[in-house]
């Protein structure tokens, strides 16, 4: 196999040389021929079609036209000179304008000759022009060549000023193809896959992605390359997953015993949802295989994750092990303790709490009971990760809200059990779109609770602007009179912290004016307050001593006050979708109908409008996450930023869900049958994965 043309250093390419090579290396990390080819165009100029001059308008964008130059004039003076060229076809005319290189263009263009012009239509009032178009003389001989899709590459100022803009790059890429043959682009996929999926050969795809001959050729090329990218990513993720499972043996929870059954039959105050049952089963099967479980449990706020977590802990206890549940804050740990204790009331199970504020004798006792094994379940905060916290035999560790624990803390958790690490279950109320989860957590197991308990009344959401303030407060007053409580939330974003605080204070004043003492009591909580003061205010609200809680987003996570049934969000346009969803999750926890009112200014960007419309339309976290992915792209979704697996070259997780699913299914099928890729049919896959696979990328690690 002749396979070194693409490794040729870039300075040896015709038209490059040492100086440009330096720039290519520095600006876009292109070191050799292959490197240049692997930077795919991000769009194409459709040069197969010509627009009529008579049909141009201000919103038409970029167009290709052809016509005859009728007039060439230099307008303005000295340094402010501009060249204005009138181009005409059978339907009308347009002005082409140059501010730079005006004299050069003046010499180059000839009145009476025909040209092909490409550029963006600009409007000054009602007058249309095309500033700095690409222009080329129309010749009979090249008129066919001029009709094609021209690639546009991502560029930088430096590249542009060195003749390495898209036009320059096209020439270089073409020069490589001139020297190359099909064998320079070895096939990565086995024949049976190409056939089954009707994919075009790799060599053709690379050629066509740079220089497509037709729309269909472009589509075939991009399909093929997207599939390849996603498929090898998935294959790599699965290889990683199976590798880890082979390395990390786990405690075997072989039975479901008395504790679980007693609880299930006599203690659960409601019927489990189908999704809860399914997920408990998935986890149970996972914990008896002798392999360490590493599982993410996704479910919307209120979907009943805590109950699932509890029942899994009972399985651990049935098998003679301890379990722990770790929350990101003291308040949440306290809440978990309360709900677990009340679920387990009357059963012979000991639950303890360990947080930073558990001190002295109490702490000593907890630690002793933990080590002796008298304690079955430990609930806590990261205080639980400390080295002197020793379990008798930890079998299952559950953490709530994964993005808040660091890697080092997770590593400590792993070491808290012998001879194997504990089974790990990470619960998150931040739904991640399926396509994203498949990639971001592709080497983990994921369980999804996609069903809310029956009888929940979805939060009613509406959008209001400032001129509705009086009626919003009127509505609030009525609800408060029924004995309900309300949150009013202000954005607090670091860059404008001072201004935001001012906002919050003004808001607070207006709330206090409309809801004066002694009839109403208002709590305030924001990030600048001391932890103890925050806690004090939250507790007052929780106990019902205050009716309104004015707060910044500190209440986003987990606070549970079932009597709070109204959420007013101020400056809604400044919140992201997932944040809005989390905030709204604070209400709708009790039996009463709950309301969420999204306040915003009257003028909104189209993205803000779309976000607000999504919130009004649905309460389903997965649907909201999908919308967020479409609006902002994968990089903007919480927790995805650091992940190398999302640096995709051509595939787009927001758009290529179907290709991704096919890739995932096929990768799984292959890995299940031939995990080491030793079969003859899969030889190519192994070769490609070893040499070009996404191995070096940062894999997700949730625990
Ligand atoms: P999450 O942690 O997913 O936000 P929780 O576990 O805190 O949800 O459950 C929210 C509320 O719903 C709790 O009051 C819980 O007791 C209740 N709950 C959980 N599962 C069910 C169910 N299957 N049917 C009715 N209520 C349920
Ligand atoms: Mg919860």
């Amino acid at each position: 196999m002749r396979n070194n043309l693409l490794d040729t250093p870039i300075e040896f390419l015709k038209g490059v040389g040492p100086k440009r090579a330096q720039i290519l290396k520095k600006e876009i990390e292109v070191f050799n021929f292959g490197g240049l080819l692997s930077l795919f165009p991000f769009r194409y100029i459709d040069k197969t079609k010509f627009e009529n001059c008579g049909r141009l308008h201000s919103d038409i964008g970029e167009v290709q036209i052809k016509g005859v130059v009728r007039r060439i004039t230099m307008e303005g003076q000295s340094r402010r000179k501009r060249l204005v060229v009138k181009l005409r076809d059978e339907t009308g005319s347009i002005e082409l304008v140059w501010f730079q290189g005006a004299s050069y263009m003046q010499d180059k263009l000839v009145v009476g000759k025909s040209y092909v012009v490409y550029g963006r239509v600009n409007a000054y009032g009602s007058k249309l022009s095309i500033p700095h178009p690409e222009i080329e003389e129309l010749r009979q001989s090249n008129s066919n060549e001029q009709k094609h899709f021209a690639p546009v590459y991502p560029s930088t100022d430096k590249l542009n000023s060195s003749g390495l803009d898209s036009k320059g790059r096209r020439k270089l890429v073409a020069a490589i193809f001139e020297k190359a043959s099909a064998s320079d682009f070895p096939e990565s996929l086995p024949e049976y896959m190409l056939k089954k999926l009707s994919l075009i050969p790799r060599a053709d795809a690379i050629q066509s992605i740079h220089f497509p001959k037709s729309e269909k050729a472009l589509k075939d090329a991009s399909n093929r390359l997207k599939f390849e990218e996603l498929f090898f990513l998935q294959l790599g993720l699965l290889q990683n997953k199976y590798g880890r499972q082979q390395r990390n043996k786990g405690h075997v929870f072989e039975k479901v015993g008395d504790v679980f059954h007693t609880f299930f039959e006599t203690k659960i105050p409601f019927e489990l949802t189908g999704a809860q049952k399914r997920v408990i089963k998935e986890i149970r099967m996972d914990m008896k295989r002798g392999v360490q479980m590493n599982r993410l449990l996704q479910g919307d706020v209120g979907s009943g994750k805590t109950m699932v977590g509890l029942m899994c802990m009972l399985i651990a206890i049935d098998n003679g092990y301890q379990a722990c549940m770790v929350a990101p804050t003291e308040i949440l740990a306290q809440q978990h303790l309360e709900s677990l204790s009340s679920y387990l009331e009357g059963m012979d199970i000991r639950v303890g709490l360990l947080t930073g504020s558990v001190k002295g004798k109490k702490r000593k006792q907890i630690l002793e009971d933990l080590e002796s094994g008298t304690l079955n379940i430990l609930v806590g905060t990261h205080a639980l990760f400390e080295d002197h916290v020793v379990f008798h035999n930890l079998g299952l560790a559950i953490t709530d809200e994964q993005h808040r624990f660091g890697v080092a803390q997770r590593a400590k958790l792993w070491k808290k059990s012998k001879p194997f690490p504990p089974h790990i279950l990470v619960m998150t109320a931040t739904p991640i779109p399926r396509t994203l989860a498949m990639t971001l957590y592709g080497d983990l197991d994921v369980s999804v609770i996609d069903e809310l308990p029956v009888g929940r009344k979805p939060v009613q959401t509406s959008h209001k602007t400032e001129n509705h303030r009086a009626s919003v407060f009127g509505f609030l007053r009525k609800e408060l009179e029924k004995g309900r409580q309300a949150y009013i939330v202000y954005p607090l974003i670091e860059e404008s912290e001072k201004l935001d605080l001012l906002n919050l204070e003004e808001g607070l004043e207006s709330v206090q004016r409309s809801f004066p003492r002694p009839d109403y009591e208002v709590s305030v909580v924001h990030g600048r307050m001391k932890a103890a003061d925050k806690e004090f205010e939250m507790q007052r609200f929780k106990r019902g001593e205050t009716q309104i809680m004015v707060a910044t987003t500190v209440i986003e996570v987990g606070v549970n006050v079932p009597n709070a049934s109204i959420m007013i969000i101020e400056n809604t346009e400044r919140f992201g979708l997932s944040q809005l969803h989390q905030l709204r999750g604070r209400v709708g926890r009790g039996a009463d109908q709950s309301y969420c009112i999204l306040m915003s200014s009257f003028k909104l960007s189209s993205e803000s409008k779309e976000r607000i419309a999504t919130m009004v339309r649905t309460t389903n976290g997965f649907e909201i996450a999908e919308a967020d992915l479409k609006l902002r792209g994968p990089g903007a979704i919480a927790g995805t930023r650091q992940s190398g697996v999302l640096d995709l070259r051509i595939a787009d997780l927001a758009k290529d869900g179907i290709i991704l699913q096919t890739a995932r299914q096929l990768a799984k099928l292959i890995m299940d049958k031939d995990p080491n890729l030793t079969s003859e049919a899969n030889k190519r896959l192994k070769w490609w994965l070893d040499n070009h696979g996404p191995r070096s990328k940062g894999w997700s690690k949730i625990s």
Side-chain angles (χ1 to χ4, degrees):
M1 207 180 286
R2 188 173 72 100
N3 192 25
N4 48 20
L5 175 76
L6 299 189
D7 296 333
T8 317
I10 196 70
E11 47 266 51
F12 297 130
L13 183 61
K14 201 176 106 195
V16 176
K19 207 171 140 233
R20 282 182 163 179
Q22 214 47 44
I23 294 169
L24 285 169
K25 285 175 197 174
K26 259 192 130 158
E27 295 288 298
I28 42 177
E29 292 178 31
V30 166
F31 299 93
N32 53 30
F33 290 14
L36 194 65
L37 292 190
S38 69
L39 296 178
F40 299 150
F42 69 100
R43 66 185 183 90
Y44 302 82
I45 299 170
D46 184 353
K47 294 199 167 175
T48 60
K49 293 186 191 104
F50 292 96
E51 196 53 78
N52 289 331
C53 283
R55 291 187 39 192
L56 300 180
H57 55 86
S58 58
D59 295 328
I60 200 164
E62 290 173 357
V63 293
Q64 178 170 250
I65 47 182
K66 62 182 169 191
V68 181
V69 167
R70 281 295 172 207
R71 195 178 67 217
I72 301 178
T73 44
M74 192 65 88
E75 296 180 1
Q77 274 150 24
S78 61
R79 308 196 73 213
R80 292 273 191 80
K81 272 197 302 196
R82 63 176 186 274
L83 185 73
V84 180
V85 173
K86 188 162 194 166
L87 187 89
R88 171 171 278 287
D89 66 11
E90 304 86 68
T91 63
S93 66
I94 177 108
E95 280 186 354
L96 316 176
V97 185
W98 281 266
F99 301 95
Q100 278 144 29
S103 312
Y104 171 78
M105 289 310 297
Q106 186 177 28
D107 293 345
K108 203 174 139 185
L109 300 175
V110 181
V111 172
K113 276 197 175 163
S114 294
Y115 294 88
V116 175
V117 172
Y118 181 87
R120 175 177 288 277
V121 175
N122 213 345
Y124 275 104
S126 63
K127 189 158 183 189
L128 300 181
S129 65
I130 303 181
H132 289 267
E134 287 177 23
I135 184 163
E136 225 179 314
E137 205 176 316
L138 177 74
R139 291 197 203 89
Q140 248 8 73
S141 62
N142 69 5
S143 66
N144 250 343
E145 212 173 287
Q146 282 169 337
K147 284 175 109 187
H148 64 286
F149 290 89
V152 181
Y153 298 97
S155 196
T156 65
D157 286 344
K158 197 84 194 265
L159 289 171
N160 289 341
S161 63
S162 317
L164 293 167
D165 57 357
S166 284
K167 212 168 157 187
R169 296 258 293 280
R170 274 171 225 159
K171 282 194 191 137
L172 299 184
V173 172
I176 298 176
F177 281 123
E178 235 160 73
K179 286 178 175 266
S181 62
S183 66
D184 290 311
F185 306 99
E187 185 50 71
S188 62
L189 301 171
E191 289 307 320
Y192 76 88
M193 278 176 70
L194 295 180
K195 246 196 209 132
K196 190 167 154 188
L197 299 166
S198 315
L199 296 174
I200 62 170
R202 190 159 176 279
D204 297 354
I206 301 226
Q207 169 99 35
S208 282
I209 203 74
H210 288 283
F211 298 118
K213 295 223 162 66
S214 66
E215 243 161 293
K216 170 152 191 328
L218 176 57
K219 185 103 193 104
D220 287 346
S222 88
N223 267 344
R224 146 82 214 208
L225 294 169
K226 282 175 175 181
F227 177 83
E228 176 181 282
E229 180 167 46
L230 293 172
F231 174 75
F232 281 106
L233 179 59
Q234 290 301 330
L235 204 62
L237 284 163
L238 289 172
Q239 196 181 44
N240 228 41
K241 175 172 159 182
Y242 292 136
R244 192 186 51 221
Q245 290 183 344
Q246 274 163 19
R247 281 193 309 278
N248 295 317
K249 301 252 176 305
H251 305 292
V252 182
F253 294 178
E254 56 194 351
K255 63 173 182 206
V256 171
D258 288 348
V259 174
F260 184 96
H261 286 304
T262 308
F263 182 77
F264 186 71
E265 277 144 33
T266 68
K267 290 287 172 187
I268 304 185
F270 38 69
E271 174 80 7
L272 293 178
T273 63
Q276 281 173 314
K277 286 184 195 157
R278 189 192 71 237
V279 165
I280 291 170
K281 197 166 162 198
E282 282 168 9
I283 296 171
R284 181 162 68 91
M285 301 313 272
D286 214 6
M287 294 192 301
K288 73 175 187 189
R289 297 189 302 152
V291 168
Q292 188 222 12
M293 175 174 79
N294 237 296
R295 186 172 283 271
L296 183 70
L297 174 58
Q298 284 195 65
D300 239 324
V301 172
S303 59
K305 294 184 292 297
T306 312
M307 176 53 74
V308 168
L310 170 59
M311 297 193 67
C312 296
M313 293 200 285
L314 298 184
I315 297 176
I317 295 169
D318 266 335
N319 287 274
Y321 289 88
Q322 293 169 303
C324 68
M325 186 177 272
V326 196
T329 66
E330 293 221 358
I331 299 176
L332 289 175
Q334 182 69 41
Q335 270 175 23
H336 278 318
L337 179 78
E338 282 164 22
S339 59
L340 293 184
S341 305
S342 82
Y343 283 136
L344 292 172
E345 216 179 287
M347 287 185 70
D348 186 21
I349 292 183
R350 292 202 46 208
V351 186
L353 177 73
L354 189 69
T355 66
S357 55
V358 176
K359 294 205 173 93
K361 258 194 187 157
K362 243 180 160 175
R363 186 180 189 89
K364 199 159 158 270
Q365 188 64 50
I366 292 276
L367 291 176
E368 268 176 34
D369 292 350
L370 190 67
E371 190 160 5
S372 70
T374 351
L375 204 62
N376 303 106
I377 295 175
L378 183 63
V379 178
T381 56
H382 51 272
L384 194 150
F385 296 134
E386 285 164 29
D387 288 331
H388 65 270
V389 178
V390 180
F391 287 82
H392 179 62
N393 59 354
L394 178 65
L396 169 65
I398 300 180
T399 66
D400 200 0
E401 305 293 342
Q402 90 271 22
H403 302 311
R404 292 168 199 258
F405 294 116
V407 175
Q409 290 173 321
R410 292 167 193 159
K412 286 193 164 178
L413 198 56
W414 276 53
K415 292 204 188 104
K416 291 218 177 281
S417 115
K418 299 258 158 55
F420 314 123
H423 293 302
I424 305 274
L425 182 68
V426 176
M427 305 196 296
T428 171
T430 312
I432 298 168
R434 257 177 67 78
T435 55
L436 209 55
M438 247 183 240
T439 307
L440 205 54
Y441 302 123
D443 54 344
L444 303 170
D445 289 299
V446 180
S447 287
V448 176
I449 307 186
D450 50 5
E451 185 186 348
L452 289 183
V454 287
R456 283 284 161 78
K457 297 193 185 95
V459 180
Q460 277 186 24
T461 305
S462 58
H463 174 211
K464 293 280 182 311
T465 51
E466 199 51 44
N467 51 342
H468 297 112
R469 171 77 54 191
S471 75
V472 169
F473 275 8
F475 174 75
L476 176 57
R477 188 166 295 118
K478 265 204 232 137
E479 290 296 306
L480 295 181
E481 273 162 16
K482 291 185 203 159
R484 315 274 146 77
Q485 290 168 286
Y487 298 100
I488 303 180
V489 181
Y490 287 82
L492 189 63
I493 298 169
E494 271 156 42
E495 303 101 66
S496 56
E497 209 174 319
K498 273 203 183 123
L499 208 96
D500 282 334
L501 220 51
L502 207 70
N503 246 334
L504 177 106
E505 275 160 14
E506 277 173 13
L508 177 63
E509 262 175 43
S510 121
V511 171
Q512 280 169 335
R513 242 179 291 124
S514 304
F515 298 92
R517 282 164 127 168
D519 293 345
Y520 300 96
E521 290 287 336
V522 180
S523 281
V524 190
V525 173
H526 60 77
R528 285 268 188 97
M529 286 163 68
K530 287 205 195 93
D533 295 342
K534 267 194 261 184
E535 174 70 25
F536 176 78
E537 283 298 310
M538 296 237 199
Q539 290 301 344
R540 280 207 318 146
F541 185 68
K542 211 172 162 182
R543 286 194 301 264
E545 293 164 16
T546 62
Q547 290 81 52
I548 300 176
M549 158 94 80
V550 172
T552 55
T553 48
V554 287
I555 60 154
E556 196 178 321
V557 175
V559 182
N560 190 13
V561 182
N563 191 49
S565 61
I566 298 144
M567 161 84 41
I568 298 177
I569 300 178
E570 301 285 348
N571 299 109
T572 303
E573 62 270 41
R574 291 190 38 201
F575 291 95
L577 257 180
S578 70
Q579 213 177 8
L580 289 172
H581 179 63
Q582 291 298 317
L583 283 171
R584 183 168 58 184
R586 297 303 109 218
V587 295
R589 315 195 127 223
D592 303 317
Q593 176 63 55
S594 290
Y595 302 91
C596 175
I597 302 171
L598 305 171
M599 302 293 296
S600 81
S601 54
F602 191 70
K603 261 193 113 171
L604 291 172
S605 70
S606 62
E607 202 200 299
S608 299
K609 273 187 204 155
E610 185 58 41
R611 270 202 307 258
I612 292 175
T614 304
M615 286 296 293
V616 172
R617 184 179 67 235
T618 180
T619 53
N620 180 323
F622 288 94
E623 213 177 311
I624 289 170
E626 288 292 345
D628 206 17
L629 178 63
K630 293 230 159 64
L631 278 175
R632 295 192 304 159
I637 307 285
T640 64
R641 222 157 297 177
Q642 318 81 333
S643 177
V645 291
L646 294 181
D647 293 338
L648 299 176
R649 179 182 297 159
I650 182 165
D652 177 344
L653 294 179
K655 293 181 188 141
D656 298 323
I658 292 177
I659 301 180
L660 174 60
Q661 263 175 38
T662 312
R664 172 87 178 174
Q665 272 167 15
L666 206 60
K668 190 157 184 317
L669 218 68
I670 290 170
M671 274 292 167
D672 283 345
K673 265 204 212 140
D674 184 16
N676 298 313
L677 301 175
T678 42
S679 79
E680 187 60 28
N682 293 327
K683 232 171 61 186
R684 265 187 207 163
L685 296 179
K686 178 155 177 48
W687 170 76
W688 188 265
L689 202 58
D690 289 347
N691 290 285
H692 306 268
R695 261 288 156 107
S696 57
K697 292 187 173 180
W699 301 108
S700 64
K701 281 219 171 56
I702 57 159
S703 58

